[in-house]
Amino acid sequence: MNKLLNVAEAADLLNLAPQTIRNKVHQRKIPFIKLGGKVLFKPEELSAWVEEHAVKAIE
């Protein structure tokens, strides 16, 4: 299993502020896992989430 990321690591990966990550978790706008009261993220799910939100260029 891949290493799970905490909020600070996910924020660093996505180049966002930790508070922005927490807001997205609260609004359920980003995929996350809750284990033992901790919010964790799978790096591959975060990558897929970013790709889903990519805006395609107009040719």
Side-chain angles (χ1 to χ4, degrees), residues 28-48:
R28 296 183 184 259
K29 291 188 173 183
I30 193 169
F32 67 94
I33 299 165
K34 197 156 188 183
L35 286 174
K38 293 182 180 181
V39 175
L40 302 169
F41 305 89
K42 289 183 179 179
E44 62 273 10
E45 287 184 358
L46 292 179
S47 295

Side-chain angles (χ1 to χ4, degrees), residues 20-37:
T20 302
I21 298 295
R22 288 186 199 96
N23 288 342
K24 292 188 179 301
V25 166
H26 179 74
Q27 298 166 355
R28 296 183 184 259
K29 291 188 173 183
I30 193 169
F32 67 94
I33 299 165
K34 197 156 188 183
L35 286 174

